[in-house]
Amino acid sequence: MIDLSKLAEPGSIEESLVEKIDFQRMPRHVAVIMDGNGRWAKQRSLPRVEGHRAGIASVREIVETSARLELGVITLYAFSVENWKRPRYEVATLMMLLKEYLRKELATLMDNNIRFSPIGRIDGLDESVQRELRYAQEKTAANTGLLFQIALNYGGRAEIVDTVNRIMTLLREREASDFAIDEEFFAAHLYTANVEDPDLLVRTSGELRVSNFLLWQIAYAEIHVTKVLWPDFRRKNLFEAIVDFQSRDRRYGGVDEPDSRMWVEADSHGRRQS
Ligand code: IPE
Ligand code: IPE
Ligand code: MG
């Protein structure tokens, strides 16, 4: 049971937003492109890395709130395969902050029954980062609540290529010469095998692009873009995203009832009727 008192203080803006949420129609998987840390710092005449540092508080609040909302999965995009292009100091600081976060937050993840799982080309990260990731993953492996995926050294195209290579290896091992795969088989070999696709994709800082995130999985995700910069993104902004999500009409290429039956009939005769 969701404990509403843990989501908002009485009389707060948060409470008024929580009241608008329909708990019967929650997104099960929310994916977030955490963007705008650099701009947040720039607005304050601070170095970019201060934006990353400030962004940790948002990560903490959003992960904890997702657990309290009893979402199934939250996936946060923390470092893309393209982000290696950034200055060496910025990359090193991001990795240092990640290690610090994992060390400090492990107890909270355990308290909230959260299972932690990194996705991406993890073996391309520094050994000291890999160690912390493995430790957090192993410690939380038996937790049964929220699945918290963090995308690191992640690229959507890289994931698709890695998946194709994985499948080719598998087929070689099986000495299969005559084969055809389907979407289900392909999806079962992605980094996110066994994880349902995101229902809601949030991007902060107003940028209207996907930046190589979960390209396969977001095929039918609803997209919520907010101008709020990641270090300012708090639970009220997550509630707003969910309220926005619930206002959408998800059709998956079909049409709304009751007309849909008529169309199916018309289509099965190969004719389009109006
Ligand atoms: C997002 O913030 C964090 C990462 C990509 C690691 P940015 O660092 O991209 O911030 P902006 O887009 O420059 O404001
Ligand atoms: C996307 O943000 C990657 C992450 C949030 C980790 P970027 O700031 O790297 O994306 P672009 O450069 O604006 O597309
Ligand atoms: Mg950015």
Side-chain angles (χ1 to χ4, degrees):
M1 261 305 274
I2 295 172
D3 183 350
L4 297 180
S5 70
K6 282 198 170 156
L7 288 171
E9 310 291 323
S12 61
I13 299 176
E14 286 80 5
E15 188 186 49
S16 65
L17 286 162
V18 167
E19 279 166 4
K20 289 188 192 157
I21 295 177
D22 174 355
F23 287 95
Q24 305 304 312
R25 292 174 53 237
M26 292 296 279
R28 282 177 311 165
H29 180 173
V30 177
V32 185
I33 303 174
M34 309 185 286
D35 199 14
N37 295 355
R39 276 161 283 173
W40 184 93
K42 193 169 180 206
Q43 283 174 359
R44 288 161 180 76
S45 308
L46 292 168
R48 291 180 53 82
V49 292
E50 290 310 315
H52 300 318
R53 202 183 302 280
I56 304 273
S58 309
V59 172
R60 210 175 278 136
E61 181 159 326
I62 294 313
V63 170
E64 212 168 312
T65 305
S66 299
R68 289 180 179 172
L69 283 168
E70 298 184 358
L71 299 183
V73 190
I74 179 109
T75 304
L76 303 183
Y77 198 9
F79 193 84
S80 74
V81 289
E82 285 84 17
N83 287 148
W84 295 107
K85 291 182 209 156
R86 296 185 178 205
R88 192 197 285 253
Y89 174 70
E90 182 174 343
V91 173
T93 306
L94 278 165
M95 295 301 157
M96 192 268 292
L97 288 169
L98 171 67
K99 286 191 276 184
E100 199 177 288
Y101 168 82
L102 290 173
R103 249 173 272 144
K104 282 194 187 153
E105 285 308 296
L106 191 53
T108 316
L109 298 182
M110 293 306 292
D111 288 347
N112 288 284
N113 193 23
I114 298 168
R115 185 157 58 95
F116 173 78
S117 175
I119 57 168
R121 289 183 169 165
I122 303 305
D123 55 8
L125 297 168
D126 193 86
E127 183 50 46
S128 67
V129 178
Q130 289 189 49
R131 229 184 351 258
E132 296 289 344
L133 291 170
R134 258 196 313 269
Y135 186 71
Q137 191 168 14
E138 283 164 14
K139 282 280 172 194
T140 62
N143 289 346
T144 54
L146 177 75
L147 170 63
F148 167 27
Q149 299 189 118
I150 188 157
L152 289 167
N153 196 17
Y154 177 89
R157 288 182 172 178
E159 179 177 21
I160 290 169
V161 168
D162 288 351
T163 301
V164 171
N165 282 321
R166 250 188 237 188
I167 292 174
M168 288 201 302
T169 306
L170 201 81
L171 295 173
R172 257 196 308 272
E173 282 165 8
R174 287 185 194 168
E175 293 178 12
S177 56
D178 183 20
F179 51 81
I181 61 163
D182 57 14
E183 289 183 14
E184 206 184 333
F185 185 87
F186 189 84
H189 293 83
L190 289 163
Y191 304 151
T192 56
N194 304 317
V195 176
E196 66 253 69
D197 291 339
D199 301 296
L200 169 60
L201 173 67
V202 176
R203 183 161 187 153
T204 59
S205 87
E207 234 63 81
L208 296 173
R209 56 178 171 261
V210 169
S211 299
N212 204 9
F213 191 39
L214 300 175
L215 295 182
W216 173 280
Q217 296 90 334
I218 61 170
Y220 270 102
E222 295 298 328
I223 302 176
H224 173 84
V225 176
T226 170
K227 285 212 159 64
V228 173
L229 305 175
W230 178 251
D232 292 326
F233 194 89
R234 285 295 179 276
R235 58 188 162 153
K236 77 164 195 262
N237 307 103
L238 179 63
F239 299 152
E240 274 165 3
I242 292 171
V243 170
D244 182 24
F245 166 81
Q246 292 181 337
S247 74
R248 310 286 179 84
D249 180 14
R250 300 185 85 188
R251 289 192 293 275
Y252 299 97
V255 289
D256 287 333
E257 294 289 334
D259 297 68
S260 57
R261 264 177 312 231
M262 212 170 80
W263 278 106
V264 169
E265 212 172 306
D267 283 348
S268 70
H269 288 94
R271 286 189 297 269
R272 282 180 63 103
Q273 290 168 10
S274 53

